[in-house]
Amino acid sequence: MTPPAKPAGTSGGFGQVVSKVPSRFLPVIATFVVFVATFGVGSARYEGFASGQVMANLFIDNAFLIVLAVGMTFVILTGGIDLSVGSVVALSTMIAAAALQAGWPAWLVVIVVLAAGSGLGLAMGWVIHRFGVQPFIVTLAGMFLARGLCFVISVESVSIKNPTFRDLATGSIELPGGVTITYGVVIALVVVIAAMYVLHLTRFGRTVYAVGGSESSARLMGLSTTRVKIGVYVISGFCSALGGLLFSLYMLSGYSLHAVGMELDAIAAVVVGGSLLSGGVGFVIGSVVGVLVLGTIQTLISFEGTLSSWWTKIVIGALLLAFIALQRIIVRKT
Amino acid sequence: MTEPVVDMRGISVEFPGVKALQEVDFRLFPGEVHALMGENGAGKSTLIKALTGVHPLAAGEIRYAGESVSFGGPAQAQAAGISTVYQEVNLCVNLTVAENILLGREPRKFGRIDGKAMRARAAELLARIGLHIDPGSVLESHPIAVQQLVAIARAVAVDARVLVLDEPTSSLDADEVAELFRIIRVLRDEGVAVLFVSHFLEQVYEISDRMTVLRNGRLVGEYATATFSRIDLVSAMLGREMGVLEEIERRSGTPGDPLLVAEGLGRKGSVAPFDLEIRSGEVVGLAGLLGSGRTEVARLLFGADKADSGRVLVDGKPVHLRGPRSAIEVGVAFCSEDRKAEGVVADLTVRDNLILAMQAARGWARPVPRKLADELVAKYMEMLDIRPANPEAIVGNLSGGNQQKVLLARWLVTEPKLLILDEPTRGIDVGAKAQIQKLVADLATEGMAVLFISAELEEVVRIADRVVVMRDRQKVAELDGEVGVDDVMALIAGGGDVNEIEAVAS
């Protein structure tokens, strides 16, 4: 006895506007509104905030986090979680820095790092699937493992002096209007577009959503749930390694204590971006906007100047709570 | 006769502690509708899952199109041409209708999903089964009956040689069933072999050509529908003589004092304010169509939804129902229609499920002594005839009817004063149905008040002392005394003046 579906938004005014947009887009739109609002607050309060370069810097400073959040979105869409991404970023910077120091060519380093990240993701995904273990525990183990391996390579910070990496890190692309961006931003945007393509236009991507909606149904529908459940961890591992490479460009060093707690930033960005931790609902673009919201808050605080950077964490915490509450309200209303 | 497309021989399937199937033979011919009949726990679903590769065989052989096969899972079975629509809707509600129909075989252009072509193809398939909904809409936004038809659209979307329908009609109304049967006949005439499971005997006789009857995991026989009478069928299924259902005819003597009184109770967008009085020792039936507000009334009385008008009195004292806990405190129990999601704990044993309720009733500080627990578990398992009679069986492994009985037992353990049963007999077989009806009658005789909700009018009329009729989220009538199915039907159908019909009925 299900009550017949109510026509959405029968009341006038706001309800009517909302009813034109499918309810699944509402959280993403809400995130976007928050982004515009925080950016607006900055523009109103500080001179020079509302410039193209501040916007570009948002992308430059968060390119690696965008890549991480994209990978995390895949995992969370299936109802899983990946806690290893921060450590894998650190491990990637470490492998890159150490291998470059040893004189390996840059292209080989890139391949090795990406293969290592994907391989770790594959291993975790396989354990999760084969033994039916909670992703939380398996990726927690992966997190310790990757962090520990960093220290095996070196306990010191290793700086990167390879000319190719230096050129990539310092090189910039000039956009119309005198705004410059880095190569990292271009890579991050390519990742975002590729992820959107995969999630929405390939069978693999749709199966990701199906598994998140109901894994048993997806299996009974004859979909390859095994491939998807392992595949999302490979993707997340790959994205972490790529994020690690971008991070090593950003810092120009490899260090075991890089990116501590960054997995939580990535999860926060995905959740603020409107994805449900239970899976099946969410968009990559939401996660990107989520990263931008977090970045804007950070920028705001640095413009303020007198505030300690810890305020970023406090605001993010408050925002997360507000978002989860907001999502519940939206879900209940529609 | 032609060769059977599916030929299963000597099939045995075992679960931990349960022999679900023992040496069952089953044949399915192309171009026939074959009904698989049996009580709950007879092994119908298990046989289907053995065919589609969900359950491994302990013994036996499956021949498909003349070749010995062993499917690794539904995906392989589907690829080979065996499509299944399961009892519970097994779709992904977070995806669109089109995706749910075509996921896994969506039209692709250069390796990417062609959304436009997919929606067009889905619209075509929906039109074939006469369902006019937007293929781009999210499945969640449709009622369960529509979701079920979408599942069937998915099953016929592949060029299936065998279509398995495991109780597809349990959530459909008469028109939808007729529509489904039309589709089944079209497919049958195209040469598809249809395996059909249903608890509605009328439907089985309307649609099937042959039937196979199972009982307690064993084969009883294979019959031609045209020459097999209903009495024979029921006695083959039950393994006992007909007449169980007639026994329940009851009219209780004198109902006691009003136990629960609702005055102007209502909730916006859910149920219009209504008055209701339930006396102890009385069975009140609640009749109405799907979505008429039956369940909503129950949820209000149980405090699962908050009323925004009116009040509830229990034993003459006003009670503020803040939630199910406060309702349970005053002795109200509610057996939800959705036993899977809101009832039993499927991963625990029968025993643990019963003890959970017992413990909740006693409070955390007073542990249930082992001996008392054993006694009570044994008592309720016997009283409700829960099968297998093994308290350590995992509830998730039991059949639907037996799960329902466990749920019922869980509430009975707490000794409620008012028992609200929402569709307790949905999707369960004749035998278990009769047992539950008889139990309800016995409980009322012992002084318990029962609110009995069911979609089956005959059942409501037979069992209830009073029938409350719901229509369009309103209480439209209350019928006392000898009530006929036709009277209730007329009220539910509506149209006429309510008072007039009420006068005729009483």
Side-chain angles (χ1 to χ4, degrees):
Chain A
M1 259 187 300
T2 321
K6 275 172 273 175
T10 38
S11 57
F14 180 67
Q16 237 158 24
V17 177
V18 169
S19 74
K20 284 182 193 149
V21 184
S23 62
R24 59 202 156 121
F25 296 134
L26 285 182
V28 177
I29 292 167
T31 312
F32 193 75
V33 168
V34 168
F35 170 61
V36 171
T38 40
F39 207 84
V41 166
S43 313
R45 285 197 61 170
Y46 312 108
E47 213 170 312
F49 195 94
S51 76
Q53 193 55 50
V54 170
M55 188 64 146
N57 285 347
L58 269 184
F59 283 92
I60 292 169
D61 295 337
N62 294 295
F64 49 88
L65 192 55
I66 288 177
V67 174
L68 289 189
V70 166
M72 187 67 80
T73 308
F74 275 84
V75 175
I76 286 179
L77 277 176
T78 64
I81 195 93
D82 189 349
L83 296 179
S84 71
V85 297
S87 301
V88 174
V89 165
L91 181 62
S92 302
T93 65
M94 215 55 216
I95 294 176
L100 289 172
Q101 203 177 34
W104 294 25
W107 60 268
L108 183 63
V109 170
V110 169
I111 291 172
V112 166
V113 166
L114 293 180
S118 311
L120 185 66
L122 178 66
M124 291 190 300
W126 184 78
V127 170
I128 289 166
H129 174 77
R130 178 67 182 76
F131 300 108
V133 190
Q134 291 288 336
F136 188 97
I137 293 300
V138 177
T139 57
L140 188 69
M143 170 177 135
F144 285 124
L145 184 69
R147 188 69 73 182
L149 283 175
C150 293
F151 288 102
V152 172
I153 296 172
S154 170
V155 284
E156 303 292 325
S157 173
V158 183
S159 69
I160 293 173
K161 300 197 176 73
N162 177 287
T164 317
F165 266 58
R166 290 249 160 193
D167 289 348
L168 278 173
T170 50
S172 62
I173 302 164
E174 190 148 343
L175 298 178
V179 176
T180 56
I181 56 169
T182 58
Y183 291 111
V185 175
V186 177
I187 293 171
L189 291 180
V190 167
V191 168
V192 169
I193 290 165
M196 284 163 65
Y197 179 88
V198 168
L199 272 180
H200 295 283
L201 292 172
T202 67
R203 187 172 290 175
F204 179 89
R206 298 323 289 166
T207 309
V208 167
Y209 278 93
V211 167
S214 166
E215 194 187 331
S216 64
S217 292
R219 198 167 39 238
L220 286 173
M221 283 163 103
L223 302 175
S224 51
T225 53
T226 307
R227 213 169 62 190
V228 162
K229 277 189 73 187
I230 297 177
V232 291
Y233 290 95
V234 177
I235 288 174
S236 181
F238 176 86
C239 285
S240 309
L242 187 58
L245 286 174
L246 295 182
F247 197 68
S248 65
L249 289 181
Y250 190 70
M251 307 297 279
L252 278 176
S253 71
Y255 186 35
S256 309
L257 294 177
H258 272 332
V260 171
M262 196 181 275
E263 62 277 349
L264 302 180
D265 289 339
I267 294 170
V270 173
V271 171
V272 168
S275 298
L276 290 186
L277 280 178
S278 50
V281 179
F283 299 97
V284 164
I285 197 70
S287 304
V288 173
V289 180
V291 171
L292 294 182
V293 168
L294 303 192
T296 311
I297 294 165
Q298 217 143 20
T299 313
L300 266 179
I301 284 161
S302 67
F303 263 75
E304 183 66 44
T306 55
L307 280 178
S308 140
S309 70
W310 291 110
W311 277 98
T312 317
K313 303 271 175 208
I314 294 169
V315 174
I316 291 172
L319 210 60
L320 260 180
L321 283 179
F323 257 85
I324 293 161
L326 184 76
Q327 282 185 6
R328 294 304 302 170
I329 292 166
I330 289 172
V331 167
R332 215 171 285 165
K333 273 210 175 139
T334 47
Chain B
M1 221 178 209
T2 48
E3 282 291 299
V5 58
V6 172
D7 193 356
M8 302 171 81
R9 284 182 205 158
I11 304 295
S12 296
V13 173
E14 287 172 13
F15 300 131
V18 186
K19 278 191 178 171
L21 281 181
Q22 293 178 62
E23 292 169 24
V24 171
D25 299 334
F26 177 76
R27 299 183 305 162
L28 188 61
F29 290 90
E32 74 164 350
V33 178
H34 193 125
L36 187 58
M37 305 296 294
E39 281 198 274
N40 279 313
K44 302 181 300 279
S45 295
T46 313
L47 186 68
I48 290 168
K49 286 184 174 162
L51 172 64
T52 52
V54 178
H55 296 323
L57 300 184
E61 187 195 18
I62 301 173
R63 297 182 76 83
Y64 174 62
E67 280 171 39
S68 181
V69 290
S70 165
F71 297 119
Q76 278 184 26
Q78 203 174 51
I82 301 180
S83 272
T84 312
V85 175
Y86 293 93
Q87 191 170 351
E88 272 95 19
V89 180
N90 277 295
L91 296 174
C92 295
V93 291
N94 60 329
L95 300 180
T96 64
V97 170
E99 284 179 329
N100 270 297
I101 295 174
L102 292 168
L103 209 61
R105 47 176 180 270
E106 55 280 85
R108 290 193 284 186
K109 213 158 55 182
F110 314 117
R112 73 178 181 88
I113 295 171
D114 187 346
K116 212 170 146 194
M118 180 164 75
R119 281 190 293 280
R121 173 100 180 97
E124 211 174 279
L125 289 161
L126 287 170
R128 182 171 163 196
I129 68 164
L131 195 58
H132 299 286
I133 54 174
D134 177 11
S137 58
V138 179
L139 189 67
E140 213 162 16
S141 61
H142 298 290
I144 292 208
V146 173
Q147 294 182 12
Q148 182 86 54
L149 288 174
V150 170
I152 289 163
R154 177 182 173 83
V156 300
V158 279
D159 297 318
R161 294 180 66 181
V162 175
L163 177 61
V164 180
L165 300 170
D166 189 356
E167 288 197 53
T169 56
S170 55
S171 54
L172 303 189
D173 67 25
D175 287 346
E176 289 160 338
V177 169
E179 195 56 36
L180 171 66
F181 283 3
R182 184 185 64 75
I183 300 157
I184 290 180
R185 289 194 186 99
V186 168
L187 294 169
R188 179 192 64 192
D189 295 342
E190 287 171 4
V192 177
V194 181
L195 174 56
F196 182 78
V197 179
S198 172
H199 282 119
F200 299 99
L201 298 192
E202 273 163 43
Q203 294 178 357
V204 169
Y205 273 93
E206 189 187 332
I207 193 76
S208 73
D209 303 310
R210 284 186 321 126
M211 50 178 79
T212 292
V213 180
L214 300 179
R215 188 170 71 230
N216 287 334
R218 291 174 184 278
L219 176 72
V220 178
E222 188 191 281
Y223 311 94
T225 308
T227 58
F228 194 52
S229 77
R230 289 184 190 213
I231 302 288
D232 290 341
L233 172 60
V234 172
S235 67
M237 282 162 61
L238 297 181
R240 49 185 184 251
E241 292 305 308
M242 239 317 237
V244 206
L245 288 178
E246 270 78 329
E247 277 175 25
I248 317 214
E249 201 71 40
R250 74 172 276 277
R251 290 283 170 247
S252 67
T254 45
D257 298 324
L259 177 75
L260 180 140
V261 179
E263 289 173 354
L265 199 64
R267 178 181 156 91
K268 254 198 190 142
S270 171
V271 195
F274 63 91
D275 297 332
L276 184 65
E277 186 184 288
I278 306 173
R279 297 162 178 275
S280 46
E282 177 185 53
V283 180
V284 176
L286 201 51
L289 292 176
L290 213 78
S292 63
R294 300 180 307 205
T295 299
E296 287 75 3
V297 165
R299 290 179 63 88
L300 281 181
L301 293 179
F302 189 55
D305 290 334
K306 255 195 207 135
D308 49 19
S309 70
R311 60 175 190 158
V312 175
L313 297 104
V314 175
D315 284 332
K317 285 187 283 282
V319 179
H320 182 53
L321 292 177
R322 274 182 310 259
R325 265 185 88 105
S326 50
I328 292 168
E329 255 167 45
V330 296
V332 180
F334 175 49
C335 266
S336 155
E337 61 174 335
D338 189 356
R339 59 178 173 256
K340 218 168 133 192
E342 297 174 18
V344 292
V345 186
D347 292 333
L348 294 182
T349 63
V350 173
R351 192 191 139 79
D352 291 337
N353 263 284
L354 296 187
I355 290 177
L356 263 184
M358 225 180 284
Q359 190 66 67
R362 283 170 74 96
W364 60 272
R366 295 164 58 214
V368 182
R370 176 88 192 186
K371 196 163 159 248
L372 178 71
D374 283 344
E375 271 171 20
L376 280 174
V377 168
K379 176 183 151 194
Y380 283 106
M381 289 196 70
E382 198 199 324
M383 181 168 152
L384 293 164
D385 190 21
I386 294 170
R387 275 178 284 176
N390 171 15
E392 306 302 331
I394 303 291
V395 168
N397 288 346
L398 300 185
S399 70
N402 281 306
Q403 287 188 15
Q404 185 69 47
K405 289 180 188 170
V406 171
L407 177 59
L408 206 56
R410 264 189 63 175
W411 283 113
L412 292 179
V413 162
T414 64
E415 296 176 342
K417 288 189 236 165
L418 170 64
L419 180 62
I420 303 173
L421 298 170
D422 193 359
E423 298 250 35
T425 60
R426 177 163 112 189
I428 69 176
D429 61 84
V430 185
K433 217 176 240 183
Q435 281 172 340
I436 286 178
Q437 292 174 3
K438 183 153 184 339
L439 183 78
V440 168
D442 291 348
L443 290 171
T445 315
E446 285 168 22
M448 195 182 289
V450 182
L451 183 65
F452 191 90
I453 305 174
S454 175
E456 282 180 54
L457 290 183
E458 285 186 25
E459 185 178 67
V460 175
V461 166
R462 191 186 313 124
I463 203 164
D465 300 305
R466 227 153 17 100
V467 178
V468 172
V469 182
M470 304 289 299
R471 186 177 70 225
D472 296 336
R473 308 185 167 269
Q474 284 182 356
K475 177 181 165 187
V476 292
E478 196 168 319
L479 308 175
D480 255 326
E482 290 293 322
V483 185
V485 173
D486 295 338
D487 304 330
V488 180
M489 202 100 81
L491 278 166
I492 288 175
D497 185 82
V498 172
N499 295 329
E500 198 178 306
I501 298 170
E502 204 164 11
V504 172
S506 51

